[in-house]
Amino acid sequence: MPRDVQIKRLAERLTRKYQRGTPVEPVEIFERDGVAKRTNTYKIMPAATPTQSMSAPIDQDGTDFSYFTEITLGSSKTLVYMLLDTGAATTWVMGKSCTSGPCKVHNTFDPSSSTSFKDIGKTFNISYGSGQVGGKLGTDTISFAGMSFPMTLGVADMTSDDFNSFPIDGILGLSQSKGDYPIFLETLVESKSLKSNVFGVSLNRAADGTNTGEINFGEPNTSKYSGSLNYNDVSKDAGGDWAISLGNVGVGSTQANVKGRLAFVDTGTSFIFCPPEDAKLVYALVAGAETTNNVTYTVPCTTTTALTFTFGSTTYNVDSKDWVSPMANGICTGNIYGQAVTPENWLLGDTFLKNVYSVFDADKDRLGK
């Protein structure tokens, strides 16, 4: 499938995701050493066990395409692998009664096996691009990162065939976007499990070797960054998503003069998306960059210049190892795509997040890096 067609379909899914009540960019997941073995053949790049309390390792697929963690559900302590998604609010898992093809090759959760599961008599249905996920809502105990409390989650009895290619068992919604039922962060706050309702995210780059990715609840892991964290308030116009004002974007020491945008920071998205006019400004600063559609751009594979993103008075670099992606026949593509997922704004996914330690502060409604 041509790259521009792939990106268009991905952008369509993400656009649906950022319409209220419709999370999901399905991504990848696999098996962990020393834990119950899956019956499927998916693989993982497991992360080292964190030394800080109230933390969980963040595994990945070995291609930097998706990041996820292990969670146990209910009294049955069913192990599932869930995408960590700061751009989604709904938490859901594939159910045992699901007859869709993808459910046959994933870990599933059987509510009847858990004495703590309570059906609340409501259903959920999430649309994204060409497919849907739907099923019933219930409450049950979720356990990971040293925490354990009951929460509302969806148990899917139908999934899109897209999940055949993206082997996650479900999604843990980490957005603050509230809906018709309590979301994870609301429930976390009410549980009083933490001294501060914050979580820090460190994502591993597969090429760097040993996976040390982790999610830290309650307080940042100071060993993951140097100096002090710089915080920016979440925009009141973001509807509960983790979006902050974007000061500028640049290539090396030259600024593209991107102004008046929000940046939605999303662990559940692999790449970076922006308005096509902004992509044109950025790639005009990349020697040898070319495009035929103003959405996808090719760049010389020898490109080593960092991208820069400015928030407030602080500028962050994105290594060329992350934003220059190898393609077939020696052609490389840039991982910034000129297709706005949220109108007139930017979506910063893992391409950006691999370069910073990010702290999502629900108490003070701010984001630190």
Side-chain angles (χ1 to χ4, degrees):
M1 183 186 299
R3 182 73 165 186
D4 57 342
V5 176
Q6 290 178 322
I7 294 303
K8 181 179 179 180
R9 291 184 178 180
L10 176 57
E12 288 173 351
R13 290 203 298 270
L14 290 168
T15 299
R16 297 288 184 99
K17 170 179 174 175
Y18 277 91
Q19 293 170 351
R20 294 280 65 81
T22 57
V24 170
E25 176 199 349
V27 203
E28 319 233 330
I29 281 202
F30 317 99
E31 172 192 15
R32 182 176 184 79
D33 293 341
V35 190
K37 299 295 182 180
R38 296 165 64 91
T39 58
N40 55 51
T41 58
Y42 298 125
K43 301 174 183 178
I44 66 167
M45 185 177 182
T49 300
T51 57
Q52 182 164 303
S53 62
M54 312 300 279
S55 301
I58 300 179
D59 300 337
Q60 70 136 301
D61 58 16
T63 69
D64 297 356
F65 189 68
S66 58
Y67 295 85
F68 40 85
T69 197
E70 301 162 353
I71 289 174
T72 57
L73 296 177
S75 64
S76 57
K77 300 189 183 301
T78 300
L79 176 68
V80 292
Y81 295 76
M82 304 190 83
L83 177 72
L84 296 168
D85 196 343
T86 58
T90 299
T91 294
W92 63 269
V93 65
M94 293 182 186
K96 185 177 181 180
S97 64
C98 175
T99 58
S100 301
C103 295
K104 298 175 182 178
V105 292
H106 288 80
N107 285 6
T108 58
F109 174 60
D110 181 5
S112 67
S113 71
S114 175
T115 58
S116 52
F117 182 83
K118 297 179 181 178
D119 190 330
I120 62 176
K122 295 182 179 180
T123 60
F124 78 104
N125 194 293
I126 301 172
S127 299
Y128 62 96
S130 61
Q132 294 180 319
V133 174
K136 64 181 179 181
L137 288 168
T139 61
D140 209 342
T141 302
I142 181 172
S143 301
F144 78 115
M147 303 180 293
S148 185
F149 49 82
M151 68 165 289
T152 302
L153 71 157
V155 180
D157 55 26
M158 177 275 295
T159 66
S160 162
D161 284 345
D162 289 329
F163 284 93
N164 282 320
S165 301
F166 306 122
I168 56 169
D169 305 325
I171 287 178
L172 179 66
L174 294 171
S175 169
Q176 297 187 95
S177 177
K178 298 180 181 180
D180 296 331
Y181 38 85
I183 59 174
F184 172 78
L185 286 181
E186 283 182 284
T187 309
L188 176 62
V189 171
E190 292 173 0
S191 74
K192 302 186 185 303
S193 300
L194 306 172
K195 59 183 180 181
S196 297
N197 294 298
V198 305
F199 61 93
V201 173
S202 172
L203 299 185
N204 172 74
R205 182 186 296 117
D208 290 346
T210 303
N211 186 353
T212 58
E214 60 187 52
I215 183 168
N216 314 111
F217 287 92
E219 60 182 343
N221 183 344
T222 56
S223 70
K224 292 292 184 179
Y225 60 93
S226 58
S228 301
L229 292 169
N230 296 289
Y231 286 91
N232 301 95
D233 291 336
V234 171
S235 171
K236 301 303 181 184
D237 297 325
D241 288 310
W242 296 101
I244 57 179
S245 294
L246 177 60
N248 215 331
V249 182
V251 178
S253 60
T254 306
Q255 298 298 300
N257 294 320
V258 172
K259 303 289 185 181
R261 308 298 198 192
L262 292 179
F264 287 71
V265 181
D266 187 352
T267 58
T269 297
S270 303
F271 307 122
I272 296 175
F273 292 83
C274 68
E277 60 269 29
D278 290 0
K280 185 175 181 179
L281 289 172
V282 171
Y283 282 108
L285 304 179
V286 181
E290 297 180 353
T291 184
T292 59
N293 55 17
N294 297 319
V295 176
T296 58
Y297 287 75
T298 60
V299 299
C301 295
T302 54
T303 302
T304 58
T305 309
L307 295 178
T308 64
F309 291 85
T310 300
F311 303 96
S313 60
T314 307
T315 298
Y316 303 86
N317 291 340
V318 172
D319 198 290
S320 61
K321 290 186 289 187
D322 300 313
W323 77 266
V324 177
S325 180
M327 293 285 287
N329 302 318
I331 298 174
C332 290
T333 186
N335 283 335
I336 293 181
Y337 297 98
Q339 188 149 343
V341 171
T342 65
E344 300 183 355
N345 293 311
W346 283 63
L347 181 63
L348 301 187
D350 303 331
T351 295
F352 172 78
L353 288 165
K354 282 179 286 182
N355 294 269
V356 297
Y357 179 76
S358 301
V359 176
F360 300 79
D361 187 340
D363 285 338
K364 297 183 179 179
D365 203 22
R366 61 181 185 169
L367 204 157
K369 299 168 294 303

